[in-house]
Structures are given as structure tokens and as C-alpha cells.
Amino acid sequence: MKKFKNKGKDSTARRRQRVEVSMELRKAKKDEQILKRRSISFSLVDESLSPEDKKEIIQLSLEEIVEAVNGSDRELQLQAVQDIRRMLSKQNDPPINQVIELGIIPRLVEFLGHDDDPFLQFEAAWALTNIASGTSDHTRAVVEAGAIPPFISLLSSPHMHISEQSVWALGNIAGDGPTYRDALINCSVIPPLLALVSPVTPVNNLLCLNSSSSLGVGFLRNITWTISNLCRNKNPYPPLDAVKKMLPVLLYLLENDDKDIISDSCWAFSYLTDSTNDRIQIVVDTGILPRLVELMGSPEMMIMTPALRAVGNIVTGTDEQTQAAIDAGVLAALPRLLRHPKQAIQKEAAWTLSNIAAGPSQQIQQLITCGLLPPLVELLDKGDFKAQKEAVWVVANLTTGGTVEQVVELVQSGVLKPLLNLLLVKDSKTLLIILDTITNLFKAAKKLGVTDRLCLLVEELGGLEKMEALLTHENNIVYEAALIIMEKYFCFE
Amino acid sequence: LLFLQRVLLLVASDVDALCACKILQALFQCDHVQYTLVPVSGWQELETAFLEHKDQFKYFVLINCGANVDLLEILQPEEDAVFFICDSHRPINVVNVYNDTQIKLLVKQDDDLDVPAYDDIFRDEEDEEENSENESDGSEPSEKRRRFEEDVIERTMKRRERREWEARRQEILFDYEQYEYHGTSSAMVMFDLAWIMSKDLNDMLWWAIVGLTDQWVQDKITQMKYVTDIGTLQRHVSRHNHRNEDEEHSLSIDCMRIAFEYDLRLALYQHWSLYESLCNTSYTSASLKLWSVQGQKRLQEFLADMGLPLKQVKQKFNSMDISLKENLREMIEESANKFGMKDLRVQTFSIHFGFKNKFSASDIVYATASLMENIEKEGPETTNFIKALDSLSRGNLDKLHQGLDLAKKQLRAIQQTVASCICTNLVISQGPFLYCSLMEGTPDVKLFSKPVSLCLLSKYLLKSFVCSTKNKRCKLLPLVMAAPMDVEQGTVIMVGIPPETESSDKKNFFGRAFEKAAESTNSRTLHNHFDMSIIELKTEDRSKFLDALISLLS
């Protein structure tokens, strides 16, 4: 069957090469000398030779590449680096390991400093970007060759495409993990990076301005993504002063019209809020909450998902932080998300709600007033199991922190039936929370003197039968919890 | 095929599957492989059996099931589960074909599968990712990204190209999946495996023969394919049985010998009376039109032409005069030719157990199939399966004889039903196909709630109908047949079969058509059978389903 997999590849490979040739030619116009040299060789190739022959002509062998890169012939250097970059840019199985083994990375890093040869700088930056995009070992090979300082310098290159390529490379290095992220921050990556974000930075990259180009992702998108990687990862969190510098820019980026930029900014906020309460506070203090809540209503999954996650993180914080989210309107945004077709969203929304329900009774009251009980009951009844588990937590938290009146309202909204139905699940932890919730309900009923009515209701809804079944449960704690309720309220001997 | 771990063997309920299973069991025994056997009659049982056993097993062998659907999609197995599929159902699902880690297909090499090329139906995942970049699903951004040689223009071009590719893919898959048919018998494939491993025994060869004969009896393969495969098996038969030929007199009681024969196409005649067999064999009954008075007359004439006394003909075949039996085949053939039955002779094999017991391959097929679909409950669901499986072992003559008795009942029931359907004009033309529905309360209707019996009935009915009708257009139509399935649940079982023509390629389009018709009408159907052209359907949805089927095929 293997033979099927390579059939038909020829035409795409050919097309890609042809497009590249024309791109190279456009770029070459800037430099008369190069133009002459290349247009001759390429037009020759383009018109008269098949792709296989062409490969032989333009592609140097690996030995030749090493020789050329280490040699002093500028022309050959450029061609060699270009060949390397091309190999590393193909869709499948880029030979990153082989390139590293050639031992030419230090030399590529050196080329980054050749301000007199922007072509060489650009090709080297692209090649190094793609090497750093691999595994941690690959990234380390680039960093240990000393690439961080020259890349940071290149952020301020007069050539915007080189600056952009450096942003991309730095993003890959930052994305490797907290160690390199902080190494970059310590090398002062942030000021020149943020300096790039100004209203004059084009959303699309420079090459795009010269009609069509090789890039589909805009310059500002790249910057946003790199900033988000600088906010990413825990253990340790990114340094506080760095976060404080990036926040205003992220705030600004979140107002952009481009959905990729908004998405990556939202993810940055979700990283920054996935942390301690004092760090959450710094984010809340920027006043970003109303915008994040607005974005929770976006029809774009790529925006709504990280916005929901960021707000969800914030309501894990203090009562005041949660209140700030409520004041920003999170409760109005949640019903739609609790009913979202994607189960992961339902679950995340229910998780957010469970943390609001864990607050003081005033916040619970706001939750009820904003009409969150009906979608909650729906989810408990028909959601997927992971979302149901979160919904159980909402109910449990409500019965723990709510007033008797609030608990009554909860029961009146029809929560009992789906809750009791969930007594059939296998998961012991969920069972215990449900039994705990039932106990809370009985406590409230006792205060109101309606224990008998609740007993009757539980029995009518099949809850008694299901709890009886739990008396044979293999988990002892579940068994005991069920037994206590049975003995206390149902005269079970 | 060497397993260190216990293997789960999932076997469909058809005779070919049973035969393949017997061969595999013998091989397992040879190699001391431990296995658990679970019979599965449909997709639901297959899924349940898998769920029940998936934790204890890593290796699964599926016989005559699993090839024609995306198995991994249906079963959602762990990544280290491996499925060996030996299944004659075609077309094989393309995902199964191109998955080379979890799905291992046992297919005869020279079987022409006509599978679409990989690149025509799959794209590399990188391409997919790149393409879905725009319609991001809200997953976290990647930590690192490589820069490709991409171009805005190229991307839009790619998108358009992709749409075209997508349309072409649909077309290719439609062509590929449109018709259902059968490949080489699984028992034969399994025998090939044993042969390659030099572990083939005469018993295994016999099971391979029965498997192939099952395909022929059930009308699953073309005449051409049957003759070719018979040829293949004949070479094995002479290899295995030629030494015995000289020592025929020294045969012991438990010795078995397989022989190639040109035999009569008369069902079970050696265990019945010639008369009964003539009446209940589809070929003779349809050719002579036995459902009519003229037909009965023609039968008398036919017997007279052969010069066989009626008394002898109606006697048990075993008790017929030896002198008559000597040239019987030639005599019958000669007369049959005069009566327009030119194909009464078939190439087949017979088996001798010792001196006394002789069976033709089709005898075994009828007996085993009847045991499997025995409607008299005798214990749990799997009893029939085990009994049918046992009847294939040569030590179990009593089970085999019980099967033969059941088979005779079945054939009689089929013939009577066919006669009454034709005499009462129950076969009606719906335009693109013929339709016949058995009413609740028809004699033997319960028998036809079982798929193999219903299919056999449909094939016999269509054959007879083609002989009886004068409408030339109707002769070329396929047939849809329905029978009550479960009265309490209000369901019917429905089967669609291809037209009965001499050159029929036995390809069946009803599987896809049923799916489409069910989809467009929201009919409550259950596509539970490994043959997609057999479905279960709520009785009250039947008319709207048929309407949709008619307009779909018109």
C-alpha cells in the first residue's frame, strides 16, 4: 500500500518551486547584481528543464553546503543558506537533525550579524526559526549557539521582513518553556518587541505590501503570538515586572479587528490569570474584564474559548475578583455557553459557574436573578458526563453557601430529578458530592419543617431506589454516605 | 499469525464464516494459541462483544464481518488493539485498507479490489491542519511554529483545488461503495493461509470447499468466480487425496476422502427421494413451473421421459435400485436437456466418511445453515451457532443428520411459499424493482425472519418469478422482499437482491439505497446486518420508506 502514498506528489512540488522562483525574482529586483545572476539561472531552469534536472542544478550537496557556509564566497554562502532554509521549510519531515549535525548553526547565528547583507540575514533567520520550531533539543541547539542576542538586535532591523522573522524565531524560543522564556526576558526582549507594536505596524507583513508574498500570517499576528508565549507557562510564572510591561500592549491588541490577534491576546490573558490571586488582581486592575466578557459572546470559537477560560480563571480568585467579573456581565454571557453545542465549552462554562456559586449568598442571588438555574438544570439533565460533573459542583456549592430561600428556589427549578438520576453514575467522587448535596437539601428542608415533603419527592423521583442500590456499592465511603441519609430521613433499618 | 496472548475470535453467522473458523481453530490448536470464540450475528452484537472483551484482549480476529465499515470509528478501540479481518464482504472500507497499524486484512492476493488510490481519498494531516487553520476550533495555539513556503495566492488556489478534490473524492467513493458484492470465500482464504504455512490438512480443505459452496448456494458470487475457485480447490484435492485412490479397499471407518464430481444440481437428493428433491430444488422447480398444474404435468412427463418408475423415484434415494442408480446422472441430464434444463450438472466435491457416508458439499451447506437458523429455541442464543459449528466436524454425524432434516423442512417451506406468492400474485412491480411482502400468519413465516433463509427465499422466488412472468421488463428487475421480524416490536426484516440474469455480476446496490431512503424519510431502520442489503424496519415506516426507495431508484 505504501506505493499509493507517493503518487501524485509531483505536480504540487513543481508548483511550489515555480511560485518560489517568481518570488525570488521579485525580491531580487532590489539588488541589481543578484538579479542578473539569478534571473539567468532561474529562467533557464524554468523554461527548459524538468523539476528533477532543476533540483540537480540548484541544490548543492550537503558537503558543498558545509563548505560554502564555512567558506568566504558570499554568493555561495547565500545559496547554501537558502538551500538549507528550503529543506527546513518543506511540509514533511524537515531534516532538522541532519542540519544540526552538519555543525553549521554557529555559522548561521554569525550570519544574523551581517547587517551589510540583509538577504543572508533573512535566510539565516528563517532557517534558525525552523530549527527552533522543533523539539526542545532543537531549540537548545539554536540558543546555545548564542542566537538570542542577535535575534533581539534584529527586532530593530530596518528591514521589516527580517524584524518579523526574528519575532517568529524568538516566539519559538519563548514557547520552549519557562527557562528560555525567562532567558529572553533577562536579555531585554520586551522593550524592542513592544516597540514594534504601534499603529504603523502593518497587520500584513511587508512582503505583502509588494503585492503577493510568501506569508499568510501577519506581522502583528506574529508579535501577538510571541508576546503570548512570553506570558505562557508556570513553574515559575513569568517575572512580574515583565508582565506589567506587556499588559498595556495586550490590552491594546485585544481591541484589534483581526480574529487571530484577538485570539492570541485572549490566550495570553488566560495564561496570566491561570495563577495566584495577586497576579489575577494585576490583570483585573487593567479593567480588561468587560472586554473579555464581551469576547465570551464571540461567534468565533478561537476567540470565545480563550476568553471564557480567562474569565473562568478570574472567578477562581477572591470574592472581590469574582464580583468584578459579575459586574462585567459574566452571568449574562454564561447561559448561551452552557447550551453550546461543543461539550468542552459546556464543561468550561459550568466550571466557571461552579466557582461563582461557591461565593457568598449575594453572588448566588445574582446567579439566580440572572436566570442561570434553567440552563443549569438542562445541563445536569442532558449534558455530556464531564459537563454534568461540573454542573453537580454548581448545585453542591449552591446548597452549601446559599440561603434556605435560595435552596428552595433551586429545588423549584427542577434540579432534583436530573440530580437523582445521576446517582446511577459509576464515578465515586461524583456520587459523594451528590449525596452531600442531598444532605444539604434535607438540612434546608428541616429548617422549613418540610422534611416529609422532600422525602416524598425524592422517593417519587426514584431517588430512594437509587440510594438503596448504592448500599451495595463497592466504595465504602459511598455506601456509608448513602446509609446515613437512608437511616436519618427514610427510617431505614 | 503467531500470538503469545489470548485472541478474541469474532465470527459471523454464515456457513462460510463457520468453515473459516474451523480452519483457524485447527491452526490455533496446532500452534497452541489460546482463543475465545464469540459468535456475532450483526453489528450490535459485534460492538457489545467488543466492549465486553476489549480489556482482556489485544488481538481480535473477525471472520466475515468488519471489512466493509470503518471499524476503528465504530469500535473506538485502544491504540494497541490489533484487528485481523478475514471477510468476504466487498467493498472493503477504504480506511481499513489504508490503516496498516491496527487493521490487518486477510485478502487473497489476486482478488481484484479496485480500491481508490490513497491520494485520491486521503490528504496528509499537515495539509489538513494547514487548511483548518482558518476555521480554528478554539484549541490552544501551538508553542512553536515552523515557517513553510507558503503563499497567499497559493493558499486560495489550494482551497479551490481542495474543493475540487473533495468533489472528486465523493465521486470516487460513491463509485467504489455503490455496489455490495462478495470476494473470495473466507474459508478459502483461511485455507490458503494454512497451506502457505504448510499446515493444511484434508479436513481444512473440506471446510474450504464447503465455504465456497456456501457462496454458490447463497448466490453470492458469479458462476465464473465459482468455477475458477473450484479449479483452485481441485488442485488441492488431488494433492491431498490421490494416494488414497489406490488403496480404496483399505479405507478404514474413520477415514475421509474428498472427490471432485460433476454432480446433479438437485438439493439433498442423496438423502431424500429424487422426487422430493426435484420438487424442492429451485432450479428444477422454477424451470418446470411446478407451482402450476401444467408444471406438475411437465414433471410427470419429465420422469416418464427418463423412464424411471414413479415408485422408485418417490422412494428414499438410498433404497433405489442399484441398477437404476448406475446411469442415473446421465439419464437425468439427457432428459433435462429436452426440458430446457441445460445446467443441471454442476462441478462440486463430495466427501466419503469410511464406506457408508457420502455427502455432497451442498448437503453440508444446507444442513449447517438450517442448524444455524433453527427457529426452535433450544437454549441460549449461541446454541444454534455452536451446533452448526459442531456439525462441520466429521465426528458429529448425528448433528449433521439433524441439520439435513431441518434443511428439508426449510426447502419445502421455501418452495411452498414461492408457489403461493406466485399463484396469488404477491410479487408486484414497483417500477424500479419488484416487491413482495410476506404477511403475518403466512405458514412458516417465522422461518423467514432469519436473514439467510429470507435471502434464499428471495432468490428462489425471483428465479421462479422470472420464469413465470411474460413481462420482459420485469424479468430484469431486482427484488425487495419483506417479512415480519418481531411482531411485538412491530418490525419487519427487508432484503434487496440483484436481478436474476444469466450474466449477473451479483453486485447489489440496495445497501446504499436503503441507507439513503432511510435517511431521507427519517424511517426507523436498523442496519444491523453485515450484509448492508438486509435491514430491519418499523412496520409503520414501511410505506414511506418504500416510496423514497422508488423515487430514489427511478
Side-chain angles (χ1 to χ4, degrees):
Chain A
M1 292 311 172
K2 275 273 148 62
K3 70 176 177 185
F4 289 100
K5 300 195 177 177
N6 289 318
K7 255 176 71 184
K9 280 278 157 66
D10 260 348
S11 68
T12 40
R14 211 177 314 140
R15 200 182 55 236
R16 206 167 285 145
Q17 279 166 358
R18 200 164 45 234
V19 169
E20 191 183 322
V21 169
S22 59
M23 188 187 86
E24 293 302 331
L25 287 175
R26 263 197 306 279
K27 254 194 284 172
K29 268 183 197 157
K30 294 177 193 164
D31 191 320
E32 288 293 317
Q33 269 191 319
I34 294 177
L35 169 74
K36 273 180 201 154
R37 211 163 42 230
R38 287 243 208 85
S39 60
I40 292 163
S41 67
F42 280 129
S43 59
L44 242 180
V45 166
D46 218 9
E47 280 154 27
S48 58
L49 297 172
S50 71
E52 286 79 12
D53 299 328
K54 180 181 158 186
K55 247 184 191 159
E56 274 169 56
I57 289 186
I58 60 164
Q59 193 98 22
L60 299 169
S61 73
L62 287 181
E63 293 82 20
E64 285 170 324
I65 285 176
V66 174
E67 204 177 302
V69 166
N70 290 324
S72 54
D73 184 330
R74 280 292 177 92
E75 256 176 68
L76 277 176
Q77 270 177 4
L78 181 62
Q79 194 184 341
V81 176
Q82 213 160 37
D83 281 354
I84 293 281
R85 182 268 289 170
R86 239 177 240 138
M87 287 191 268
L88 293 169
S89 305
K90 62 173 191 163
Q91 284 280 354
N92 302 319
D93 307 319
I96 300 185
N97 279 325
Q98 289 93 302
V99 171
I100 292 177
E101 277 160 20
L102 294 180
I104 55 170
I105 294 190
R107 194 70 174 150
L108 292 177
V109 171
E110 197 186 318
F111 292 156
L112 293 179
H114 283 227
D115 290 339
D116 56 337
D117 192 347
F119 282 92
L120 190 61
Q121 274 185 323
F122 176 69
E123 294 292 348
W126 185 343
L128 288 168
T129 301
N130 285 3
I131 295 170
S133 75
T135 64
S136 276
D137 286 341
H138 299 154
T139 312
R140 188 177 340 112
V142 172
V143 173
E144 287 184 351
I148 291 181
F151 267 130
I152 292 180
S153 307
L154 283 181
L155 288 176
S156 318
S157 164
H159 305 279
M160 216 178 273
H161 65 294
I162 296 178
S163 162
E164 175 179 15
Q165 196 55 56
S166 308
V167 168
W168 193 325
L170 292 166
N172 280 340
I173 296 172
D176 186 65
T179 312
Y180 285 159
R181 178 200 65 199
D182 291 347
L184 288 174
I185 292 173
N186 289 332
C187 288
S188 307
V189 71
I190 290 179
L193 181 65
L194 297 187
L196 293 171
V197 184
S198 64
V200 282
T201 310
V203 171
N204 289 310
N205 57 75
L206 176 72
L207 290 171
C208 251
L209 298 178
N210 309 335
S211 72
S212 68
S213 81
S214 64
L215 288 171
V217 195
F219 193 176
L220 200 51
R221 289 182 189 168
N222 267 329
I223 297 173
T224 313
W225 170 71
T226 297
I227 293 178
S228 81
N229 268 355
L230 288 168
C231 297
R232 200 167 179 165
N233 289 313
K234 311 182 198 182
N235 307 316
Y237 296 117
L240 262 186
D241 52 333
V243 172
K244 284 177 184 163
K245 275 185 211 150
M246 288 187 282
L247 271 174
V249 176
L250 283 171
L251 229 61
Y252 167 76
L253 290 171
L254 209 54
E255 299 298 329
N256 200 288
D257 292 329
D258 182 86
K259 59 181 185 180
D260 289 286
I261 292 176
I262 301 176
S263 172
D264 279 353
S265 314
C266 276
W267 280 107
F269 277 106
S270 82
Y271 303 146
L272 293 175
T273 49
D274 181 12
S275 69
T276 56
N277 288 356
D278 52 327
R279 281 170 182 265
I280 291 178
Q281 190 58 41
I282 293 169
V283 174
V284 172
D285 285 342
T286 61
I288 193 61
L289 263 168
R291 176 65 175 157
L292 284 177
V293 169
E294 181 190 338
L295 293 173
M296 278 169 70
S298 164
E300 297 287 346
M301 282 289 287
M302 64 188 302
I303 294 174
M304 179 257 277
T305 307
L308 171 60
R309 180 153 323 167
V311 175
N313 286 339
I314 290 173
V315 298
T316 63
T318 63
D319 287 350
E320 291 73 28
Q321 287 163 354
T322 306
Q323 189 60 46
I326 295 174
D327 293 343
V330 63
L331 288 171
L334 281 177
R336 199 177 70 92
L337 301 184
L338 289 169
R339 292 174 173 131
H340 197 276
K342 280 251 157 64
Q343 291 161 355
I345 298 292
Q346 294 176 8
K347 184 193 140 216
E348 192 93 1
W351 169 70
T352 304
L353 191 61
S354 76
N355 280 320
I356 299 173
S361 61
Q362 303 91 291
Q363 287 179 358
I364 293 179
Q365 190 54 49
Q366 280 182 294
L367 182 159
I368 295 173
T369 313
C370 287
L372 268 299
L373 292 184
L376 171 68
V377 172
E378 274 170 45
L379 194 63
L380 204 58
D381 190 21
K382 296 203 174 73
D384 110 292
F385 183 52
K386 282 179 185 158
Q388 281 179 324
K389 275 207 277 194
E390 294 299 338
V392 167
W393 271 111
V394 181
V395 179
N397 288 345
L398 256 162
T399 58
T400 310
T403 64
V404 173
E405 292 74 27
Q406 286 165 348
V407 173
V408 168
E409 199 146 351
L410 177 68
V411 172
Q412 282 170 348
S413 71
V415 82
L416 212 47
K417 188 162 186 249
L419 187 72
L420 293 172
N421 279 341
L422 284 173
L423 283 173
L424 293 174
V425 303
K426 299 268 183 294
D427 180 44
S428 302
K429 205 175 153 205
T430 306
L431 286 173
L432 284 172
I433 302 166
I434 298 172
L435 292 171
D436 222 33
T437 307
I438 296 172
T439 310
N440 287 340
L441 292 176
F442 272 110
K443 281 182 190 157
K446 202 176 171 194
K447 282 185 197 158
L448 294 169
V450 293
T451 309
D452 288 349
R453 265 172 62 195
L454 184 59
C455 282
L456 205 63
L457 199 56
V458 170
E459 196 174 342
E460 272 173 12
L461 293 172
L464 184 59
E465 200 183 322
K466 293 185 184 96
M467 278 192 280
E468 262 170 6
L470 290 182
L471 295 179
T472 59
H473 199 273
E474 57 193 11
N475 184 319
N476 261 337
I477 313 175
V478 171
Y479 153 76
E480 275 164 25
L483 184 64
I484 288 172
I485 297 175
M486 301 281 291
E487 284 177 343
K488 213 164 170 185
Y489 303 105
F490 294 93
C491 322
F492 183 79
E493 302 294 311
Chain B
L1 251 155
L2 212 155
F3 301 104
L4 298 169
Q5 291 180 31
R6 214 178 160 83
V7 176
L8 186 66
L9 200 51
L10 298 160
V11 182
S13 305
D14 65 78
V15 177
D16 180 36
L18 290 181
C19 292
C21 173
K22 287 298 271 188
I23 298 174
L24 188 60
Q25 283 178 306
L27 287 175
F28 278 165
Q29 200 177 8
C30 218
D31 289 346
H32 306 288
V33 177
Q34 303 230 309
Y35 64 89
T36 300
L37 170 65
V38 181
V40 287
S41 66
W43 294 114
Q44 285 183 332
E45 280 187 28
L46 177 62
E47 278 175 59
T48 321
F50 176 74
L51 285 178
E52 264 172 35
H53 294 89
K54 65 173 182 179
D55 295 332
Q56 299 104 281
F57 295 90
K58 214 179 129 190
Y59 295 110
F60 302 85
V61 177
L62 280 69
I63 299 183
N64 270 359
C65 54
N68 53 348
V69 297
D70 183 352
L71 197 65
L72 298 182
E73 176 70 25
I74 286 198
L75 298 180
Q76 302 281 338
E78 300 291 325
E79 270 182 22
D80 60 348
V82 180
F83 296 86
F84 295 84
I85 303 177
C86 181
D87 185 1
S88 71
H89 287 99
R90 301 287 180 273
I92 301 179
N93 184 283
V94 288
V95 179
N96 291 341
V97 172
Y98 288 111
N99 180 312
D100 50 5
T101 50
Q102 286 192 272
I103 304 273
K104 316 279 181 194
L105 292 166
L106 268 66
V107 184
K108 229 174 134 93
Q109 243 165 8
D110 43 0
D111 263 11
D112 195 3
L113 297 177
D114 286 325
V115 182
Y118 181 86
D119 279 334
D120 285 341
I121 43 174
F122 294 108
R123 290 214 148 180
D124 287 348
E125 275 178 22
E126 283 92 345
D127 289 357
E128 298 286 343
E129 273 169 30
E130 166 201 53
N131 218 279
S132 61
E133 221 172 50
N134 289 336
E135 49 223 273
S136 173
D137 57 349
S139 56
E140 225 177 312
S142 51
E143 289 166 329
K144 295 176 187 174
R145 293 159 24 200
R146 206 148 56 82
R147 177 170 176 180
F148 299 112
E149 306 260 3
E150 276 300 315
D151 189 342
V152 179
I153 289 177
E154 200 184 352
R155 283 177 76 105
T156 38
M157 259 169 53
K158 269 196 157 169
R159 226 168 292 144
R160 185 171 348 119
E161 181 207 355
R162 189 186 170 79
R163 267 199 301 275
E164 282 161 14
W165 180 84
E166 200 70 55
R168 212 172 88 81
R169 172 180 195 266
Q170 289 304 329
E171 216 168 281
I172 291 172
L173 281 183
F174 179 83
D175 286 348
Y176 178 64
E177 291 173 343
Q178 188 181 11
Y179 292 103
E180 202 182 353
Y181 63 102
H182 284 269
T184 302
S185 128
S186 289
M188 277 188 70
V189 173
M190 209 54 96
F191 178 78
D192 252 24
L193 185 73
W195 180 47
I196 290 166
M197 300 195 306
S198 306
K199 287 182 176 154
D200 54 322
L201 301 169
N202 216 14
D203 283 295
M204 297 181 187
L205 180 55
W206 177 245
W207 291 321
I209 289 169
V210 175
L212 170 63
T213 309
D214 178 50
Q215 286 192 317
W216 180 73
V217 168
Q218 306 290 340
D219 208 22
K220 285 178 177 170
I221 50 172
T222 61
Q223 188 64 25
M224 180 75 155
K225 171 80 176 148
Y226 175 70
V227 172
T228 314
D229 286 351
I230 283 281
T232 310
L233 288 175
Q234 197 183 349
R235 283 191 289 280
H236 288 297
V237 166
S238 46
R239 187 166 55 84
H240 272 278
N241 296 275
H242 87 109
R243 207 187 321 139
N244 297 355
E245 231 138 83
D246 314 329
E247 309 163 19
E248 201 162 344
H249 301 290
S250 63
L251 275 177
S252 62
I253 295 288
D254 60 344
C255 190
M256 68 177 266
R257 196 169 62 84
I258 302 171
F260 173 80
E261 282 185 359
Y262 281 102
D263 204 349
L264 293 169
R265 189 175 178 172
L266 292 176
L268 307 176
Y269 75 95
Q270 299 183 68
H271 311 277
W272 222 343
S273 71
L274 206 51
Y275 184 80
E276 288 267 25
S277 178
L278 279 167
C279 289
N280 293 303
T281 296
S282 160
Y283 181 69
T284 43
S285 144
S287 304
L288 298 167
K289 301 180 194 170
L290 291 185
W291 52 86
S292 62
V293 181
Q294 288 94 329
Q296 289 295 332
K297 231 180 184 172
R298 221 167 292 133
L299 175 63
Q300 304 302 329
E301 289 165 14
F302 175 59
L303 291 171
D305 189 83
M306 286 188 288
L308 289 174
L310 203 56
K311 195 180 156 208
Q312 286 285 341
V313 174
K314 289 195 169 174
Q315 219 176 115
K316 266 190 174 174
F317 184 80
N318 269 339
S319 326
M320 264 173 85
D321 274 359
I322 305 252
S323 59
L324 284 176
K325 278 201 259 185
E326 236 164 54
N327 296 316
L328 189 69
R329 285 184 201 169
E330 288 73 19
M331 282 161 59
I332 295 184
E333 256 179 78
E334 213 185 293
S335 300
N337 272 333
K338 289 188 208 157
F339 283 77
M341 297 182 283
K342 297 199 167 57
D343 300 318
L344 200 60
R345 197 170 74 155
V346 285
Q347 306 178 31
T348 181
F349 298 91
S350 65
I351 191 166
H352 292 259
F353 298 131
F355 317 101
K356 232 180 96 188
N357 296 294
K358 184 193 172 200
F359 298 95
S360 124
S362 65
D363 295 341
I364 309 289
V365 169
Y366 285 116
T368 310
S370 298
L371 283 172
M372 202 158 46
E373 296 203 333
N374 188 2
I375 44 171
E376 280 144 47
K377 275 249 160 140
E378 301 178 27
E381 294 285 321
T382 52
T383 315
N384 284 345
F385 180 93
I386 301 294
K387 234 179 173 176
L389 192 65
D390 283 349
S391 76
L392 288 168
S393 305
R394 53 172 136 150
N396 275 316
L397 283 179
D398 52 331
K399 287 210 176 91
L400 187 54
H401 281 295
Q402 197 194 342
L404 287 172
D405 289 341
L406 281 171
K408 289 176 201 166
K409 267 194 208 161
Q410 182 200 40
L411 287 175
R412 269 196 210 105
I414 288 178
Q415 229 35 253
Q416 279 157 13
T417 311
V418 165
S420 84
C421 284
I422 294 208
C423 293
T424 55
N425 291 320
L426 273 183
V427 182
I428 34 181
S429 167
Q430 293 282 16
F433 55 87
L434 301 167
Y435 177 68
C436 175
S437 169
L438 295 184
M439 300 296 174
E440 184 57 41
T442 316
D444 301 310
V445 74
K446 207 161 165 241
L447 186 64
F448 303 118
S449 66
K450 301 282 185 176
V452 175
S453 304
L454 182 62
C455 284
L456 218 49
L457 170 66
S458 310
K459 302 234 153 110
Y460 288 10
L461 177 59
L462 184 56
K463 209 171 263 175
S464 299
F465 178 81
V466 167
C467 290
S468 81
T469 186
K470 293 196 174 70
N471 184 330
K472 276 196 181 146
R473 205 183 66 85
C474 282
K475 283 184 197 286
L476 303 173
L477 291 179
L479 169 71
V480 173
M481 184 141 200
M485 170 115 184
D486 188 320
V487 183
E488 272 162 42
Q489 289 180 14
T491 53
V492 291
I493 178 168
M494 195 178 268
V495 56
I497 58 168
E500 179 67 37
T501 54
E502 292 246 341
S503 58
S504 169
D505 56 5
K506 313 288 180 195
K507 289 191 172 182
N508 191 336
F509 58 74
F510 280 110
R512 293 287 147 198
F514 283 170
E515 267 180 21
K516 284 239 166 71
E519 239 170 68
S520 64
T521 54
N522 285 323
S523 298
R524 285 159 291 173
T525 55
L526 188 60
H527 302 254
N528 185 35
H529 291 266
F530 299 128
D531 283 312
M532 300 298 185
S533 54
I534 306 175
I535 59 164
E536 292 159 28
L537 171 75
K538 279 274 180 196
T539 314
E540 61 251 47
D541 290 349
R542 176 161 50 178
S543 61
K544 68 173 176 183
F545 177 85
L546 282 173
D547 286 344
L549 195 62
I550 292 166
S551 66
L552 191 70
L553 298 175
S554 296

